[in-house]
Amino acid sequence: MTIADSGALMDNESLCLPCTPEEERRIVKELTDKAELCLKEGNLYYVVSNRWFTKWQKYVGEETGAYQLEELSNDKQASASSKVGERPGPIDNTDIIANEGGHDGNDLQLPRTLVEREDYVLVPQGVWDKLHGWYKGGPALPRKMISVGTRETYAVEVFPLALTLIDSRDKSEIIIHITKKASLRELHKQVSALKGVESEKIHMWDYFNNVKQAALVYSNQTLEEANLQMDQSILLDVQVDGFIPSGCGMDSTGNELALVPMEPQRSTRTIAGGPSLSNGYATDYGSSLYQGVTLSSIDMEDVHDSVKTGPKRDRGLAGLQNLGNTCFMNSALQCLVHTPPLVDYFLQDYTEEINKQNPLGMHGELAVAFGELLRKLWSSGRTAVPPRAFKGKLARFAPQFSGYNQHDSQELLAFLLDGLHEDLNRVKQKPYFETKDSDGRADEEVANEFWSYHKARNDSIVVDVCQGQYKSTLVCPVCDKISITFDPFMYLSLPLPSTATRSMTVTVFYGDGSSLPMPFTVTVSKHGCCKDLFQALCTACCLESDETLILAEVYDHGIYKLLENGDSLHTVKDEEFIVAYRLSKKQSEFPKLEICHRYLENSKAGERKKFLTPLITYLEGAKTGADIEVAVNRVLAPLKRKAFSSTSSSSSNGQKVNGSASEPMEESTSDSLMEDNKDFDEKCNGELSYLLCISDERGMSGRPLLKDTVIKPNKMVKVLLDWTEKEHDLYDANYLKDLPTVNKPGVSVKKTKQESISLFSCLDAFLKEEPLGPDDMWYCPGCKEHRQATKKLDLWRLPDIIVFHLKRFSYSRFLKNKLDTFVNFPIHNLDLSKYVKSEETSASGGSNIYELYAISNHYGGLGGGHYSAYAKLVEEDRWYHFDDAHVTAVSEGDIRTSAAYLLFYQRVKTTAKTKTKPNNGNGNGSVSVSVGESSSHSHSLEEDF
């Protein structure tokens, strides 16, 4: 995408006169509302740095944290106006640009690790025009809105497709950025113009993995339909003097031949075992299918035979190539394709069960794509499989997973299980049932009634093996009305009852210049706010009752923002810098002086660059530059080399001890310093002893500061201190260098025993009785009113395959968090008997004992994390680690980690010979079970823990 110069975007920019903050907020909201009412493909949006946009939000009094404008009452407007921030400078998008453009120097692209609402925001073209008219700056980053998915939802394509064009003539490579909605015809034209070659002489190939996959013919098929992936290669062949390079799809006369995918010859059977599909779909498949995308016709019998006859050590050991942040998908898929009942099902002929007419399904296409992928994984040995076709189907039916950002493996699993169920639902016409209240009937009767209703409408392999039933009891707090329902579940999302903590390092500076700065490491709650950090620091640095701290975030050697008590600690990342300025409460009431430091980087050009840590002190009755100089002298006093050398060595060593405050300077030392400064000042003839400049609100240099310069009263006065050789000789700047980050990268914090919980504790938390939230009120049929009822869940019917989702992630409008709590879960003999309220399972001889066979893991934090999977090959009795394309054996003792996110268990089938034995000493009997594993695995649950 070529971006026009931001200065030429508008002819009437000169008409965009400055407005008041309230007017700017109103205008932007009106333009945003107007754009939301006219969503359509092709609309232009602009990417804006969230760092700059947050400053603008503060300036206009808008709530920061998300680009979401809402109606404000007069009271809120008044409140917002009282907290108006400083007017931001020109729009600055340089922090979100990756200078890796394509063939065009103006083809500015963004790093794909950026997250919307955290790193950038999207504003409609009308909003950008206004903001740019008011503030100028840039560069402009326009992006178009496209239609995604079968339901034609709209999304802005922030990251266009990046393709590496390889010219077969000289092996040169050029990166092309183009929308995935572009047709192959448009791609041909773009390459033709780029290479200066006539379009009819160009022949291109899908060159994924540097192998010719299929010809990219001159047609209206989109790049998305052709399954082209981000960062993959395409190969260019050019006709020279009537000669076409070998394999270009033309005969000797120059006439085009039918171009077909470069894949092995296929039989007349589909992957589902039915008749082959011509042109990508059968005649009875329906016109709504994904035209032009060929459903595979790999011979099911051949695949099944290859799975049976292939080397035993290679079965099910194929990895999945990462197609660009698809580790979340690969992790969930590996768990599913190693689920024994699903493997058996999809390796058989399931043609008759494909439901093409189900309006809730995907016309059978998702099931076919998953089945084909499963068969490839079980028949390709250890060769990694690129899931391009499956990813294309997923993006089409679930556009929320399209693009190249990281997503949640549990959300994908939920969609995939539900989609497979609907595509394979044996019920063609769903009957209607009106559910009845329990009305005091026996639980068994009501549960069976609900289950029969559910099965009459939902009957598939997914229901057969993955769906269970739980009992939900609601009690009205007013009339004591009891409502009991029995609902199906496909997985259980378990909360983690953990008091997760976080270590944070903050450097405390003395705003009155009484001591040297000192770092303190404190422990706070991960869910806490800055008030918790403030209190922890007060204790750590022995803050007196008449003292206070000013917390600030430092960025680019300046104060990025002052932290308030209500600010969430989730917004503070480990790699950021947080400082605190210690002042007496009386001093904190005076206007503040912020001092940023600079040095001369280029003496010829006179360029100065910021360095060191900014300082904050107080201004008592400051009116002129001379008063500013006194404040600078005061706060720099501890850094004076003379003062440092005069203090005892023990005091110096004490500075390095975390958690102990340094001794304040002796009064005589301070007097001596002030006397030295006074003598030095008298020699300056009206000039300050420092090179100081008044800084504007953006931290940019302003006019030089002299002794008689009048200072305007302000809550915060900002100055720039230019360091010369004199300052370096006089002060030790090392104390302002190498500011420690909040949490040093690469240091893993070991979990304490308090942070280790059992899977049973999570189950107990999930099943405990609790009141409904105020936003989830229940309509009581007795009171005929919405009530905040109490809710109790119980497990009633368990499936053969049970999935536990450990809720490590929490989301709100402005808040995202991950818990790294270690959950101690059993690998063998997970006994859920005490949680199952139905007596039918035990009466029928069924088992509530489960064995672990797969885990989806998540490592790292939000946004930058990574997924992998552990899966067990039952026939080998061995565990393997599936990390995208890499598959390695792993010992059973290493699979229990704090990264576990999804746990997959399979019910253990009872043997013919059973006997009872004590269960944890509670007097209940348990069934001796066998799953055909070695005797070394037949140990009790206590041994697993």
Side-chain angles (χ1 to χ4, degrees):
M1 180 185 297
T2 301
I3 301 176
D5 179 66
S6 59
L9 289 174
M10 296 174 292
D11 295 332
N12 61 339
E13 278 186 358
S14 59
L15 300 178
C16 295
L17 301 176
C19 301
T20 64
E22 293 76 11
E23 289 174 330
E24 287 190 17
R25 181 178 58 192
R26 176 186 58 79
I27 292 172
V28 167
K29 184 187 185 317
E30 290 176 354
L31 291 172
T32 302
D33 292 342
K34 181 180 179 181
E36 290 177 351
L37 293 175
C38 303
L39 296 180
K40 62 181 179 180
E41 199 164 12
N43 282 1
L44 207 57
Y45 278 72
Y46 284 79
V47 184
V48 178
S49 167
N50 193 48
R51 185 177 292 274
W52 182 90
F53 194 77
T54 300
K55 295 178 182 178
W56 177 83
Q57 287 180 306
K58 290 181 178 179
Y59 171 64
V60 300
E62 180 186 327
E63 188 177 12
T64 60
Y67 181 40
Q68 196 96 18
L69 297 177
E70 298 177 347
E71 290 292 344
L72 298 173
S73 65
N74 291 332
D75 293 339
K76 288 183 178 180
Q77 286 181 353
S79 175
S81 299
S82 64
K83 297 181 179 180
V84 167
E86 298 177 342
R87 191 174 194 272
I91 299 172
D92 185 4
N93 287 331
T94 55
D95 63 315
I96 59 172
I97 294 176
N99 296 319
E100 58 180 38
H103 56 86
D104 190 336
N106 292 325
D107 194 7
L108 300 176
Q109 298 300 318
L110 312 178
R112 281 174 230 143
T113 55
L114 298 185
V115 178
E116 186 179 358
R117 302 181 188 278
E118 291 183 11
D119 303 300
Y120 68 89
V121 296
L122 294 170
V123 300
Q125 181 176 11
V127 172
W128 168 262
D129 290 346
K130 284 296 181 182
L131 290 176
H132 192 269
W134 292 326
Y135 296 95
K136 301 297 186 287
L141 301 171
R143 295 293 187 267
K144 286 187 177 180
M145 178 170 280
I146 61 174
S147 173
V148 296
T150 55
R151 298 181 181 178
E152 294 188 351
T153 56
Y154 295 109
V156 178
E157 191 177 28
V158 177
F159 305 101
L161 201 59
L163 302 174
T164 301
L165 177 67
I166 301 177
D167 195 326
S168 62
R169 296 172 295 179
D170 56 7
K171 306 302 180 184
S172 62
E173 297 183 4
I174 296 178
I175 297 177
I176 297 176
H177 292 103
I178 185 172
T179 173
K180 63 183 179 181
K181 292 296 183 179
S183 66
L184 293 178
R185 186 188 308 274
E186 292 173 292
L187 177 62
H188 272 258
K189 292 180 178 179
Q190 183 169 333
V191 172
S192 173
L194 177 63
K195 289 293 185 177
V197 180
E198 296 178 10
S199 182
E200 58 269 16
K201 293 184 178 181
I202 285 179
H203 299 272
M204 287 188 294
W205 303 85
D206 177 351
Y207 204 52
F208 185 82
N209 282 346
N210 292 331
V211 176
K212 282 187 177 181
Q213 305 287 340
L216 301 177
V217 298
Y218 190 84
S219 69
N220 289 327
Q221 185 184 32
T222 66
L223 308 187
E224 182 180 38
E225 292 169 345
N227 286 328
L228 295 186
Q229 302 296 313
M230 180 72 80
D231 295 327
Q232 80 157 76
S233 299
I234 55 176
L235 183 64
L236 170 66
D237 284 332
V238 179
Q239 176 182 349
V240 180
D241 298 330
F243 174 74
I244 305 298
S246 176
C248 283
M250 290 191 181
D251 59 18
S252 58
T253 64
N255 296 321
E256 287 196 16
L257 299 175
L259 295 173
V260 296
M262 300 283 289
E263 297 179 356
Q265 186 175 0
R266 296 168 175 173
S267 73
T268 58
R269 302 194 64 170
T270 69
I271 64 166
S276 62
L277 305 180
S278 61
N279 298 325
Y281 58 97
T283 54
D284 61 344
Y285 210 173
S287 60
S288 63
L289 289 184
Y290 205 23
Q291 303 287 338
V293 178
T294 304
L295 296 178
S296 175
S297 56
I298 294 177
D299 193 330
M300 180 277 301
E301 292 180 349
D302 292 343
V303 173
H304 196 46
D305 290 341
S306 68
V307 173
K308 283 186 175 180
T309 60
K312 182 177 180 180
R313 66 180 181 275
D314 290 340
R315 295 178 193 166
L317 294 182
L320 286 165
Q321 290 187 19
N322 193 311
L323 303 179
N325 265 345
T326 57
C327 60
F328 77 97
M329 180 182 76
N330 294 347
S331 174
L333 284 174
Q334 289 289 7
C335 292
L336 283 182
V337 301
H338 286 88
T339 299
L342 295 183
V343 174
D344 294 340
Y345 179 85
F346 282 100
L347 290 182
Q348 303 298 323
D349 183 355
Y350 58 96
T351 308
E352 297 300 323
E353 295 197 341
I354 295 179
N355 191 333
K356 305 171 186 177
Q357 286 77 39
N358 187 353
L360 299 179
M362 279 126 260
H363 314 293
E365 293 186 63
L366 185 66
V368 170
F370 176 79
E372 177 180 347
L373 181 60
L374 182 145
R375 292 179 176 190
K376 286 182 178 179
L377 289 171
W378 278 87
S379 63
S380 64
R382 287 181 175 267
T383 304
V385 175
R388 292 203 299 166
F390 179 83
K391 184 177 183 294
K393 295 293 182 184
L394 184 68
R396 179 175 178 242
F397 293 113
Q400 66 268 29
F401 299 117
S402 62
Y404 299 91
N405 289 329
Q406 187 65 274
H407 296 282
D408 192 323
S409 68
Q410 185 273 332
E411 292 178 358
L412 173 69
L413 176 74
F415 168 80
L416 189 52
L417 286 177
D418 188 63
L420 290 176
H421 157 64
E422 296 295 354
D423 269 4
L424 299 170
N425 197 347
R426 304 176 185 110
V427 179
K428 309 303 180 183
Q429 297 291 332
K430 294 186 178 184
Y432 171 76
F433 296 99
E434 185 174 350
T435 57
K436 304 174 185 178
D437 201 352
S438 57
D439 289 331
R441 291 183 291 162
D443 284 348
E444 288 77 8
E445 177 186 349
V446 180
N448 289 335
E449 180 181 274
F450 272 80
W451 188 249
S452 64
Y453 289 167
H454 177 67
K455 287 282 289 183
R457 294 172 55 85
N458 303 278
D459 185 18
S460 69
I461 179 64
V462 176
V463 175
D464 294 343
V465 301
C466 297
Q467 287 195 358
Q469 188 181 33
Y470 63 80
K471 174 185 176 182
S472 176
T473 304
L474 290 171
V475 180
C476 178
V478 178
C479 70
D480 294 328
K481 167 68 178 176
I482 299 177
S483 175
I484 298 176
T485 58
F486 293 84
D487 303 307
F489 68 85
M490 200 142 47
Y491 52 87
L492 296 177
S493 293
L494 308 183
L496 273 59
S498 170
T499 55
T501 58
R502 175 187 185 188
S503 294
M504 300 183 71
T505 299
V506 178
T507 304
V508 177
F509 292 83
Y510 289 77
D512 60 358
S514 60
S515 292
L516 288 165
M518 180 187 306
F520 291 89
T521 299
V522 296
T523 301
V524 294
S525 170
K526 280 189 176 181
H527 305 285
C529 56
C530 288
K531 182 179 180 181
D532 302 318
L533 178 60
F534 177 87
Q535 292 174 344
L537 282 173
C538 290
T539 302
C541 68
C542 302
L543 201 72
E544 300 293 340
S545 60
D546 62 342
E547 291 182 308
T548 188
L549 295 174
I550 299 175
L551 293 176
E553 177 184 345
V554 172
Y555 175 77
D556 193 23
H557 305 287
I559 302 295
Y560 175 60
K561 66 177 179 180
L562 298 179
L563 303 180
E564 299 180 358
N565 281 343
D567 292 344
S568 172
L569 292 179
H570 292 289
T571 61
V572 181
K573 300 179 181 179
D574 286 346
E575 64 271 15
E576 293 177 342
F577 302 95
I578 301 298
V579 298
Y581 300 98
R582 183 171 182 168
L583 293 167
S584 71
K585 290 182 178 179
K586 181 179 179 180
Q587 293 166 351
S588 66
E589 295 176 357
F590 295 124
K592 309 297 185 302
L593 175 67
E594 177 187 326
I595 306 167
C596 289
H597 312 273
R598 298 190 306 183
Y599 70 95
L600 191 61
E601 184 180 34
N602 189 334
S603 57
K604 293 182 178 181
E607 296 177 357
R608 299 185 183 275
K609 187 176 181 179
K610 286 185 179 180
F611 77 133
L612 304 181
T613 304
L615 299 173
I616 287 182
T617 186
Y618 63 95
L619 293 174
E620 183 177 0
K623 297 180 180 179
T624 65
D627 300 320
I628 298 292
E629 182 183 36
V630 171
V632 173
N633 274 329
R634 178 176 60 236
V635 76
L636 291 179
L639 308 182
K640 272 209 171 182
R641 297 185 185 275
K642 178 181 177 181
F644 178 75
S645 61
S646 66
T647 58
S648 65
S649 59
S650 61
S651 175
S652 174
N653 293 334
Q655 299 298 332
K656 305 300 180 182
V657 180
N658 188 13
S660 61
S662 61
E663 295 293 331
M665 289 193 309
E666 298 179 0
E667 186 176 352
S668 59
T669 305
S670 297
D671 294 342
S672 175
L673 289 173
M674 295 301 294
E675 197 66 32
D676 291 342
N677 290 330
K678 182 178 179 182
D679 293 340
F680 186 84
D681 292 346
E682 292 175 352
K683 303 175 183 179
C684 292
N685 298 324
E687 295 183 0
L688 299 178
S689 56
Y690 307 101
L691 297 178
L692 292 173
C693 291
I694 288 288
S695 171
D696 60 16
E697 55 192 20
R698 294 179 290 118
M700 303 299 290
S701 179
R703 66 185 188 279
L705 195 65
L706 302 176
K707 282 184 176 294
D708 57 355
T709 301
V710 177
I711 303 300
K712 296 181 180 179
N714 202 340
K715 291 184 178 180
M716 180 72 78
V717 177
K718 299 182 179 183
V719 297
L720 296 170
L721 170 58
D722 292 323
W723 283 61
T724 64
E725 292 184 5
K726 179 195 70 175
E727 279 72 33
H728 284 290
D729 292 339
L730 191 61
Y731 300 107
D732 187 351
N734 289 319
Y735 289 98
L736 301 181
K737 291 181 180 178
D738 302 325
L739 195 65
T741 58
V742 168
N743 196 346
K744 187 177 181 180
V747 177
S748 59
V749 181
K750 294 183 178 180
K751 300 300 173 186
T752 63
K753 291 183 178 179
Q754 289 75 18
E755 290 181 289
S756 177
I757 59 177
S758 72
L759 182 64
F760 297 108
S761 298
C762 300
L763 266 170
D764 292 335
F766 173 71
L767 299 173
K768 72 177 181 181
E769 183 177 1
E770 58 184 2
L772 296 175
D775 297 329
D776 191 23
M777 305 285 275
W778 172 61
Y779 182 79
C780 175
C783 299
K784 307 297 181 183
E785 295 285 345
H786 284 89
R787 302 293 187 192
Q788 192 171 1
T790 58
K791 184 176 183 178
K792 176 70 172 70
L793 294 178
D794 293 293
L795 300 182
W796 186 264
R797 188 190 311 266
L798 296 181
D800 290 340
I801 300 296
I802 187 168
V803 181
F804 293 110
H805 164 222
L806 304 179
K807 297 174 68 175
R808 296 193 179 278
F809 303 107
S810 60
Y811 301 93
S812 65
R813 184 179 175 190
F814 306 120
L815 197 62
K816 294 182 181 180
N817 178 55
K818 183 195 173 185
L819 294 175
D820 290 316
T821 307
F822 176 77
V823 178
N824 198 357
F825 52 87
I827 298 174
H828 305 284
N829 300 337
L830 169 63
D831 190 352
L832 299 177
S833 299
K834 70 176 184 178
Y835 296 102
V836 181
K837 298 304 179 182
S838 172
E839 298 180 357
E840 290 186 1
T841 303
S842 56
S844 62
S847 167
N848 291 321
I849 310 294
Y850 287 81
E851 297 277 317
L852 184 73
Y853 70 89
I855 307 172
S856 174
N857 301 299
H858 181 271
Y859 302 90
L862 291 165
H866 178 66
Y867 287 92
S868 71
Y870 292 126
K872 182 179 182 179
L873 296 189
V874 177
E875 62 181 14
E876 289 188 22
D877 190 23
R878 292 193 65 182
W879 283 88
Y880 289 89
H881 184 210
F882 294 84
D883 187 359
D884 290 330
H886 305 286
V887 181
T888 54
V890 63
S891 66
E892 186 177 276
D894 294 332
I895 66 173
R896 243 184 328 220
T897 70
S898 59
Y901 184 47
L902 300 175
L903 305 174
F904 292 73
Y905 285 89
Q906 183 176 15
R907 189 198 300 273
V908 175
K909 297 181 180 179
T910 58
T911 59
K913 297 180 180 180
T914 61
K915 61 180 180 179
T916 60
K917 63 180 179 180
N919 183 13
N920 300 331
N922 59 10
N924 295 330
S926 64
V927 180
S928 175
V929 297
S930 173
V931 289
E933 299 185 357
S934 62
S935 59
S936 63
H937 289 167
S938 300
H939 55 265
S940 65
L941 183 60
E942 289 84 354
E943 292 174 340
D944 248 331
F945 283 5

